[in-house]
Amino acid sequence: MAEPIPIIGGTGALGAGLARRWTAAGRPVALGSRSAQRAEEAAARIREAVPGAEVEGLLNEDAARRAEIVFLTVPFRAQSENLNNLRDVLRPGQILVDCTVPLAAAVSGKATRSLGVWQGSAAQQAQEMVPEGVAVVAALHTVGAPTLADAEAELDEDVLICADRKADKGRVAELIELIGGLRAVNAGPLEMARIVEQLTPLLISINVRYKAHAGIKLTGLPEADHWS
Amino acid sequence: MAEPIPIIGGTGALGAGLARRWTAAGRPVALGSRSAQRAEEAAARIREAVPGAEVEGLLNEDAARRAEIVFLTVPFRAQSENLNNLRDVLRPGQILVDCTVPLAAAVSGKATRSLGVWQGSAAQQAQEMVPEGVAVVAALHTVGAPTLADAEAELDEDVLICADRKADKGRVAELIELIGGLRAVNAGPLEMARIVEQLTPLLISINVRYKAHAGIKLTGLPEADHWS
């Protein structure tokens, strides 16, 4: 049986959307929350929506122990607290996939604006906070939660992945491409998360204007696989 | 006869690429440079490459007087100087389309990194520098000069346009969509140029990695025309 995919903050919109897509693709998910009860409730909703879904609701700390690659899908406001809670949980060799976007909404500002993060990006802040030996990979900032949650919605977009080691990006790309319609693109070292995280307020602004759920796609890339 | 499209810095790669595409689409171009001789040489190269091209080589100041919508396609290093030179030339009611990207390359840094601009973006800096009554529209940051210059290359990408007035964006969109394969997208107010300008170092980074000339496209937008 395949390893479960741990999702920290799995009761939120992005985490729950990913959980639906991965379970629908046949992968088990370890859905984490600060409350075991809320995690189990969210897991139950996924089992109801996705026939045959293998999903467990757990405390975040327990979810994070279930596999090497852990997804963090909390709002920016909660990122630090979550990383503090995982400090004694994450082990060297694990990969933390940070999906956080520093929207100004975190401080009651607009979701079409962002906050400056001292380290350059939320992902670089995460890299500073995880235990030594844990690699941070930034990804999934531009995939809309409503689109993920809507089983009828066909995805057709790219996921830009930033991290310092290509091998780490490749492992995360494999999980992302389990979801049909998503193509993983190597967007460079972790510092490029400064730019990639900004795509979210841009897309939010465009979505409001066009009443759409826009995604991003790069044109002109060769077909070749750049992960191997 | 249609108005010419003035391009300030038209001897550079982006300006010359646009001039080729617009003249090929049947629009006359007023190609500007700091040197009238270099402008005329660049215009001659375009006439050679594009049969029937109507293109004049002029001093920047003269080019900027030829039409209401003026394109500024200089490197960030030269943006301030050019705007200073245009201070007594631009008239209220004109639109300056700023294509500048504050790449760190301007100070011998990497083209995959950018500089912080006090006003938030190169376009907002331009807005501060143009005479009162001149509106700045930010556009064309992500369209690669090599792709524009290669007559055989088929474009298939979006141009994200930022400005405070929709009508201004609409007028610029019309000119951009004269170039086949480019779709203009309303990316919000001028302040969104903070994000859109950052797409260039991101694409440069991806182009180096994939040996490609990538462009950006938004998926999930409705077909409807949002400019009228």
Side-chain angles (χ1 to χ4, degrees), chain A residues 2-225:
Chain A
E3 251 190 348
I5 302 176
I7 304 177
I8 309 305
T11 58
L14 177 61
L18 289 170
R20 281 178 184 229
R21 294 281 176 163
W22 275 320
T23 54
R27 279 294 291 248
V29 162
L31 196 147
S33 167
R34 276 181 302 181
S35 144
Q37 195 196 322
R38 282 211 309 278
E40 192 34 62
E41 287 164 7
R45 283 194 297 274
I46 287 164
R47 281 190 293 266
E48 206 171 297
V50 182
E54 287 183 63
V55 51
E56 256 188 306
L58 300 165
L59 283 173
N60 281 328
E61 292 79 351
D62 294 328
R65 290 190 179 94
R66 292 299 173 97
E68 275 196 3
I69 303 179
V70 176
F71 288 77
L72 179 66
T73 63
V74 300
F76 182 59
R77 199 176 31 238
Q79 190 206 29
S80 281
E81 184 195 329
N82 273 276
L83 290 172
N84 271 327
N85 294 342
L86 293 177
R87 222 161 229 176
D88 299 326
V89 175
L90 295 173
R91 303 172 307 273
Q94 278 190 297
I95 291 173
L96 181 85
V97 185
D98 183 69
C99 311
T100 315
V101 175
L103 296 179
V107 293
S108 306
K110 291 187 182 185
T112 55
R113 291 176 169 171
S114 63
L115 298 172
V117 179
W118 188 269
Q119 295 87 340
S121 61
Q124 289 167 289
Q125 172 165 283
Q127 185 63 71
E128 198 179 89
M129 293 191 69
V130 293
E132 216 180 308
V134 174
V136 170
V137 173
L140 287 165
H141 313 89
T142 56
V143 182
T147 317
L148 287 173
D150 176 3
E152 304 294 307
E154 279 191 34
L155 298 167
D156 174 28
E157 55 191 277
D158 289 345
V159 172
L160 305 189
I161 304 185
C162 310
D164 291 336
R165 281 199 311 240
K166 197 171 171 183
D168 295 342
K169 286 182 271 198
R171 292 177 67 189
V172 173
E174 260 179 49
L175 296 179
I176 286 169
E177 291 190 341
L178 289 174
I179 300 175
L182 295 186
R183 177 178 69 165
V185 173
N186 182 351
L190 194 66
E191 67 170 37
M192 294 304 283
R194 291 169 189 239
I195 301 177
V196 174
E197 290 174 6
Q198 303 300 320
L199 297 175
T200 308
L202 176 66
L203 287 180
I204 290 172
S205 160
I206 286 170
N207 284 341
V208 170
R209 195 158 294 106
Y210 285 90
K211 298 183 184 41
H213 297 293
I216 262 191
K217 195 147 196 171
L218 298 175
T219 63
L221 290 192
E223 292 298 321
D225 173 19

Side-chain angles (χ1 to χ4, degrees), chain B residues 133-153:
Chain B
V134 174
V136 171
V137 173
L140 287 165
H141 314 88
T142 56
V143 182
T147 317
L148 287 173
D150 177 3
E152 303 294 306

Side-chain angles (χ1 to χ4, degrees), chain B residues 38 60 62 101 112 130 148 222:
Chain B
R38 282 212 308 280
N60 281 329
D62 294 327
V101 176
T112 55
V130 294
L148 287 173

